[in-house]
């Protein structure tokens, strides 16, 4: 149930994050759409992050993806 968008990352890190999320079963979108659920961003206080929150999305750091990958499952998005 995760459709994510990446913001503020350049390759190769962008590709690594996308690959890790896809391997866990997430879907990827290059831009925020109505079916997006998570914004993985380098900077949490950006206009894109604000739009994601307004649209009901969850803003997470890349650590969330790495933690999910390490555990092999979707983890809660809280602190």
């Amino acid at each position: 149930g995760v459709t994510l968008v990446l913001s503020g990352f350049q390759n190769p890190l962008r590709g690594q994050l996308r690959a890790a999320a896809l391997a866990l079963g997430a879907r990827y979108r290059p831009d925020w759409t109505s079916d997006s659920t998570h914004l993985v961003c380098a900077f949490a206080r950006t206009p894109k992050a604000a739009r994601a929150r307004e649209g009901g999305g969850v803003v997470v750091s890349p650590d969330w993806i790495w933690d999910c990958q390490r555990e092999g499952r979707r983890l809660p998005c809280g602190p």
Side-chain angles (χ1 to χ4, degrees):
V2 172
T3 301
L4 65 89
V5 176
L6 298 170
S7 177
F9 302 102
Q10 295 183 12
N11 282 322
L13 180 56
R14 183 177 188 84
Q16 293 166 345
L17 288 166
R18 183 174 51 240
L22 293 174
L24 288 164
R27 290 180 301 252
Y28 169 77
R29 299 285 183 268
D31 294 303
W32 191 263
T33 60
S34 62
D35 69 336
S36 300
T37 61
H38 291 70
L39 177 67
V40 183
C41 60
F43 309 100
R45 300 194 190 284
T46 64
K48 187 181 253 184
R51 281 194 308 276
R53 285 186 194 98
E54 290 168 4
V58 178
V59 178
V60 296
S61 76
D63 290 336
W64 180 72
I65 292 181
W66 303 136
D67 291 344
C68 291
Q69 183 182 46
R70 186 182 66 250
E71 296 290 325
R73 62 186 178 91
R74 179 180 170 184
L75 298 172
C77 298

